[in-house]
Amino acid sequence: MASSVPSKILVIGATGVIGKYITTAILAAKPRLSSLSHISILTSPGTASNPAKQALLSSWKSQGLTVITGDINSADDVRKAYKDVDTVVSCLGRTGLLEQIELLRLAEESDSVQWFFPSEYGTDIEYDETSKDEKPHQNKLKVRKFIRENVKKVKITYVVTGPYADMFLEYKPGAEAAGGYDWKKKKAVLIGEGDDRIGFTTMPDVGKFVAAALASPQASQGRILRVQSFVRTQSDILAEFEKQTASKFEIKYTSKAELRETEKRLWDEGNPLATGFTLRRIWSDGKTLYEKTDNERLGVKPDDLEPLSAVVERAVMGKGY
Ligand SMILES: NC(=O)c1ccc[n+]([C@@H]2O[C@H](COP(=O)([O-])OP(=O)(O)OC[C@H]3O[C@@H](n4cnc5c(N)ncnc54)[C@H](OP(=O)(O)O)[C@@H]3O)[C@@H](O)[C@H]2O)c1
């Protein structure tokens, strides 16, 4: 069985922020994935007809991808999309995470689905004993609990990437104190002293890791894969910006105590910006660091991955993600 999958892959949430990179990387890896015969995506009618998404969808279709339009909340639509598919890669956004429980139930029920990647691609939600209490982790933890208790037939692979380097660079409007870099105004806000080591994955590399996991079912099925492009500090990122822009930045620091206070206040107020503060606290507290990642298990070598300089260059050039 292991050598025959993935044969037909269905991506859900393919045109989303990270789904775009994952789908593009799977298409790019097609020639190297000898078992792979077909890639399809299940997308909502709104996205399928969205003018802003047409260039991407057309480019994928020209590479042989099939676009299936439907509603992930309709069991009939999902069953149709699952027909003959052996591998499902879910890239659903945060608000759609719990919808995966029904998608997994339908996968268990289907005759064809053998392998499922739940939407993770982020912070390690089971890093240590404190992880279970972190508010942003709760829905992903519920999905993992459902899987542990109910999914028997379908093999699962979780791809844990830590923060996306590309997104980490940016200030979130209204949440500047959580840290970030404004390379136009040459300003930066760093957490603590700016010297905490953080494991990052760039967004194109998230796609590469998922494609590598698909290419090695024996190494990746039934596993939580912890992968990353590089480990750097916020000061390293600042130095890279200063080098590439040949300028000195004005720096502000948010102490860890201030970060925690603001985090608590925002959660108490029900402010959605709270999530970003919690995640940055977790990342600054070293909870992206491992003795050894699973990069090697997947056959991904340092040269296959992007360096920090590539991400900073994209930012300075104004190329979004
Ligand atoms: N590590 C990091 O720094 C980081 C950053 C951001 C996200 N993430 C993780 O990456 C994963 C994907 O997040 P994303 O930001 O890429 O997702 P997103 O862009 O918000 O959404 C992806 C797609 O999910 C589909 N979807 C359908 N129903 C949905 C619903 N009820 N709620 C939300 N989405 C729904 C939509 O597909 P259609 O368009 O086809 O309808 C949408 O395009 C999540 O697990 C998230 O936690 C990690």
Side-chain angles (χ1 to χ4, degrees):
M1 184 188 87
S3 61
S4 64
V5 291
S7 163
K8 292 191 175 158
I9 299 179
L10 173 73
V11 186
I12 304 179
T15 70
V17 175
I18 201 61
K20 217 166 45 188
Y21 288 92
I22 291 173
T23 309
T24 299
I26 296 173
L27 280 165
K30 209 171 156 200
R32 287 179 284 120
L33 282 164
S34 54
S35 59
L36 183 58
S37 64
H38 196 74
I39 306 169
S40 52
I41 66 168
L42 171 61
T43 193
S44 57
T47 291
S49 60
N50 180 347
K53 303 263 179 173
Q54 294 317 304
L56 183 66
L57 292 174
S58 300
S59 144
W60 286 349
K61 284 193 228 169
S62 73
Q63 297 171 66
L65 175 146
T66 304
V67 176
I68 302 169
T69 306
D71 178 358
I72 57 158
N73 294 303
S74 152
D76 273 352
D77 287 359
V78 174
R79 281 194 197 101
K80 277 185 207 143
Y82 279 179
K83 190 168 180 328
D84 297 332
V85 159
D86 51 69
T87 304
V88 177
V89 178
S90 167
C91 308
L92 287 176
R94 274 195 168 277
T95 51
L97 293 174
L98 291 181
E99 320 294 337
Q100 294 180 114
I101 289 178
E102 183 62 4
L103 297 179
L104 283 153
R105 204 187 59 71
L106 292 168
E108 274 287 278
E109 212 180 82
S110 98
D111 292 333
S112 62
V113 179
Q114 299 173 38
W115 195 6
F116 197 107
F117 287 62
S119 182
E120 287 255 349
Y121 324 113
T123 308
D124 192 339
I125 60 166
E126 293 180 308
Y127 183 86
D128 64 15
E129 67 290 348
T130 64
S131 310
K132 65 178 188 326
D133 301 319
E134 299 292 2
K135 292 190 179 75
H137 296 354
Q138 295 310 311
N139 287 348
K140 287 184 183 175
L141 286 169
K142 282 184 191 148
V143 173
R144 286 199 188 184
K145 182 171 188 289
F146 176 83
I147 289 169
R148 271 198 288 266
E149 293 173 359
N150 300 282
V151 174
K152 310 285 177 227
K153 180 198 78 174
V154 175
K155 301 274 192 299
I156 301 292
T157 298
Y158 301 101
V159 181
V160 170
T161 61
Y164 303 157
D166 317 59
M167 281 191 173
F168 185 87
L169 303 185
E170 292 188 344
Y171 283 120
K172 215 167 185 179
E176 288 79 2
Y181 304 82
D182 183 337
W183 47 95
K184 289 191 184 125
K185 294 189 180 146
K186 313 277 186 289
K187 288 181 177 177
V189 177
L190 311 186
I191 305 299
E193 311 282 313
D195 57 358
D196 296 306
R197 296 168 68 242
I198 301 175
F200 295 99
T201 304
T202 74
M203 294 173 80
D205 285 351
V206 174
K208 278 181 216 159
F209 281 121
V210 173
L214 286 165
S216 47
Q218 275 158 334
S220 57
Q221 284 184 340
R223 288 191 176 271
I224 301 168
L225 299 169
R226 297 175 177 95
V227 295
Q228 51 197 214
S229 304
F230 47 74
V231 175
R232 289 288 182 283
T233 67
Q234 296 162 84
S235 300
D236 293 338
I237 300 175
L238 175 68
E240 187 60 38
F241 268 119
E242 291 189 332
K243 183 174 149 199
Q244 292 200 23
T245 58
S247 48
K248 211 76 195 140
F249 279 39
E250 182 192 322
I251 310 163
K252 278 192 185 150
Y253 293 90
T254 300
S255 73
K256 291 201 181 173
E258 282 168 324
L259 188 78
R260 280 180 181 275
E261 273 163 35
T262 312
E263 176 192 355
K264 182 175 180 317
R265 179 176 54 76
L266 293 173
W267 281 114
D268 289 348
E269 290 169 6
N271 187 327
L273 291 174
T275 299
F277 279 79
T278 300
L279 293 174
R280 288 197 180 228
R281 182 218 348 119
I282 293 170
W283 302 337
S284 300
D285 281 350
K287 297 184 182 183
T288 61
L289 301 175
Y290 305 98
E291 259 172 44
K292 194 173 188 323
T293 65
D294 289 303
N295 292 15
E296 207 178 292
R297 162 178 287 279
L298 297 180
V300 177
K301 301 188 187 69
D303 283 354
D304 301 327
L305 297 167
E306 293 192 308
L308 169 63
S309 57
V311 190
V312 170
E313 188 180 324
R314 271 200 295 278
V316 172
M317 305 284 282
K319 295 181 184 160
Y321 49 78

